[in-house]
Amino acid sequence: MDMHAHDRRRFLALTAAAAATPLLAACGAGFGGDDDKSDGSAADDVTGSFDWKREKGTTVKALLNKHPYTDALIADLKSFTEKTGIKVEYDVFPEDNYFDKLTVDLSSGRASYDVFMLGAYMVWQYGPPGWLEDLGPWMRNSSATGADWDQADFFPNLLQADQWSLKAGAPLGQGGQYALPWGWETNVVAYNTDVFKKLGLKPAETFDELRDIARTIKQKAPGAGFDGMYGIAVRGSRSWATIHPGFMTMYARNGLKDFTVEGGKLTPAMNTPKAVAFTEDWAGMVKQGGPPSWTSYTWYQCSSDLGAKKAGMLFDADTAAYFQAVEGASPASGKIAFHPGPKGPDGSLATNMWIWSLGMNAKSKKKSASWLFLQWATGKEHLLKSAITHNHIDPVRKSIADDAAYKNKMNNLPGFIETFEAVVDQTKIQFTPQAQFFDATTSWASALQEIYGGQGAGSVLDGLAGDLADKVG
Amino acid sequence: MGWRLNLRPYLLIVPALLLTCGILYPFGLGLYYTLFDFSASKPQPDMVRFENYETVFTQEAFWNSAWVTVLYAVGAAAVETVLGVAVALLLHRSTIVGRVLEKILILPLMIAPVIAAIIWKLMLQPSVGVINYLLRPFGLGGVQWTDTPTGALLSSIAVDVWVYTPFVAILALAGLRSLPTSPFEAAAVDGAGWWYTFRRLTLPMLWPYVLVAVIFRFMDSLKVFDIIYALTEGGPGDSTVVLQIRAYLEAIRFQRYSFGISYTIVLWAVVYLAAMVLVKHLGKIQRKAAEVPAK
């Protein structure tokens, strides 16, 4: 018996040691991903004359977000395969899960997807860990990039939005090109022409007017035949996405900043007296003229409410209103018009933007084929077809924005082209680039909800600024 | 032949050993990572020892989350226990209606909690939700259920109660059906009333079953994520940011991996301690219940 007991103890000790070995090995192995990062770009390996068929027979894997732009891309993929001999396999995820899926995938250090959709803000998060391929060398290599791609045709502010030096606070438009603009949105006001006509309203030229109109619609529209209509739809969920459309646009038009940068050090500026006053006014506007259950509102609810004639106005992406405005899309289609929205006190139409961009996984084993795909997807031929036959609007290329067939299509929507042209030159990313963007804006949305709930704007924003100072400083 | 017999005990423990390693390995690795400042912006991190835990405990956000988590867990477990036992007592009377209700009762348990939360989110929507529509005749049609901190927490608890009360009821019902009949017959002969019988006989004998349900529900509620995230995303403000949501935001959204894992380790410690206390209590109660004569 003693012998058995002794053996059992020895067996357990050996087994425990064996179990611990991989743990220790894993500990010593570092923190995921391999370190075989090369200094040179894979773009340098592409030589000779440019050839669309260069990677014939290759399969590229794409991760895509469910979106009308994606629908247009998928509908045209056959053209890409015919042109290049490259097959594209893709997964499509809804926006709620899309970025979590992409983040987890990229952070795993594997090349599950060669190309993917992302926003310019994501460059600030995915760029510093080295997950994104710098596309600059690919763009500069005439063997890899065809002459008809025409880089100069992109709106310059869009290309710059995806370009960054990876240093917190450094302006965009310097350093690596970490993604390519593919589709974008300006943030403007769309309104229901019927309710405006009935109540004798005109689109707001100042923020005070906007608040008045929102309140007036909420008070008077239900009695004027618009049952259950409220004034203005703006996002309110506890998410970074609440801050960047209408709120950040109006914030910037008031000359306000999220951070100030001095000597590379970021200081939160959401609690300056002017910022506090503006935030209080914004929350007040939502309370008096906004949707019930605002704290759960995403772009989808805002957009649907405009289409369902529940909202008199929408201050969000022009595309969000466009998808409701096209013929037959919603009960309000044919009755939605566009306006640049209120100007700042100095007449500013500074507008924040969102860019759906396409990026390449730095760990991809099929970079040459992936680049051909990115080149085609952001090229004139595909984008023009998508803009005219599908809903890939707000073109990233000047030639498409000026195209007669495109203009003819968009002219059916009152004020769309005029609004786009009024804001396009002042539309850019109004945030300060920094890696903690998602933490900062999620906390900012949370602060906005607290102010909406009745807490003092000054103390809430002081708390936010204090918390963020440690994280970004 | 002898060596086979000698080897058999070791072979028998292999599956359990593999299972244990499968549990301990990721747990140990997670624990190890919390000693570093591992994040997306620092993929080759430095050892910071217990700095992550120090930061967690000195953050106001942590204490807010801890408080919300406890409120949620205690609230949900308490309501589910009371309602679950009440439903079990009703169903114990074996009528046709009771038998039909028994089948229906299990339906919420078949729905994924995140789906249940989305259904409830639609029902609680102030302008188009069915709840306000039903309340409108009573002059209560304008309630903004999840727009206030208290409303959001109570709504989340209500969804949890809707999903999990059947679980408690089923356990309690199983307990009721296994109780000895003789003490109840004796009480009936002595003319004891319903309340007296319930307080002095049913509840003490049923208590071990109820406590098992309480342990499961309390531990699960401490770890809640899906219901709250789908219903309120943690808002308004930070009012429903429980520890799991805070950990998710830190580790996945903000990519501060070590810091996010530290939150989950703290949560694990809390759940472990709570479970230990409750299980110890369960043992005492089971011994006490065993003193009641069996059938």
Side-chain angles (χ1 to χ4, degrees), chain A residues 3-9 11-12 15-16 19 22-24 26-28 30-32 35 96 99-100 103-104 107 125-126 128-129 131 218 228 237-240 291-298 301 310 435-436 438-440 442-443 445-447 449-450 452-453 455 467 471, chain B residues 5-7 9-11 13-14 17 21 24-30 32-33 36 38-45 59 121 124-128 144-149 229 231-241 245-246 248-258:
Chain A
M3 187 61 188
H4 273 203
H6 174 70
D7 282 351
R8 195 176 294 123
R9 272 198 296 271
F11 174 78
L12 288 173
T15 314
L23 175 67
L24 294 171
C27 297
F31 290 81
D35 295 322
D96 277 354
F99 286 111
D100 281 351
T103 305
V104 169
S107 65
Q125 193 180 25
Y126 301 156
W131 298 342
K218 194 163 185 172
S237 72
R238 195 182 176 280
S239 158
W240 61 271
S293 205
W294 171 74
T295 55
S296 65
Y297 259 56
T298 63
Q301 278 88 19
K310 290 280 170 201
Q436 304 303 325
F438 293 101
D439 188 357
T442 303
S443 307
S446 170
Q449 289 185 338
E450 285 176 7
Y452 169 81
Q455 292 196 39
D467 183 39
K471 292 174 179 169
Chain B
L5 277 175
N6 289 341
L7 197 61
Y10 302 116
L11 288 174
I13 65 161
V14 167
L17 201 66
C21 292
L24 287 182
Y25 180 80
F27 182 81
L29 206 59
Y32 176 74
Y33 280 1
F36 292 80
F38 180 32
S39 68
S41 57
K42 207 156 184 202
Q44 295 302 324
Q59 268 191 341
K121 189 175 180 172
L124 292 170
Q125 217 283 331
S127 51
V128 295
Q144 301 204 0
W145 294 97
T146 54
D147 263 13
T148 62
Y229 199 75
L231 198 68
T232 68
E233 271 186 78
D238 281 357
S239 60
T240 52
V241 181
I245 290 179
R246 182 79 61 192
Y248 158 77
L249 289 175
E250 290 291 347
I252 307 291
R253 278 282 158 90
F254 311 149
Q255 298 179 308
R256 294 190 281 258
Y257 311 124
S258 292

Side-chain angles (χ1 to χ4, degrees), chain A residues 83 124 191 205 271 293 296-297 327 374 413 418 438 467:
Chain A
K83 193 179 184 106
W124 309 344
Y191 61 96
E205 296 296 336
N271 61 336
S293 205
S296 65
Y297 259 56
E327 201 183 334
L374 295 185
L413 300 173
E418 296 82 348
F438 293 101
D467 183 39

Side-chain angles (χ1 to χ4, degrees), chain A residues 158-236:
Chain A
L158 302 186
L159 266 179
Q160 285 165 8
D162 285 326
Q163 204 181 358
W164 192 38
S165 64
L166 308 182
K167 290 192 184 84
L172 299 173
Q174 299 168 2
Q177 183 76 42
Y178 290 103
L180 292 178
W182 175 56
W184 69 305
E185 314 168 342
T186 63
N187 290 295
V188 296
V189 171
Y191 61 96
N192 183 305
T193 50
D194 268 1
V195 76
F196 267 57
K197 204 171 164 186
K198 187 114 189 196
L199 299 181
L201 301 169
K202 280 187 176 170
E205 296 296 336
T206 67
F207 186 42
D208 284 345
E209 281 178 26
L210 184 77
R211 288 161 51 211
D212 282 346
I213 293 172
R215 190 174 50 235
T216 303
I217 293 174
K218 194 163 185 172
Q219 283 169 355
K220 295 185 178 169
F226 300 91
D227 190 29
M229 184 182 269
Y230 62 86
I232 187 164
V234 288
R235 303 185 201 189

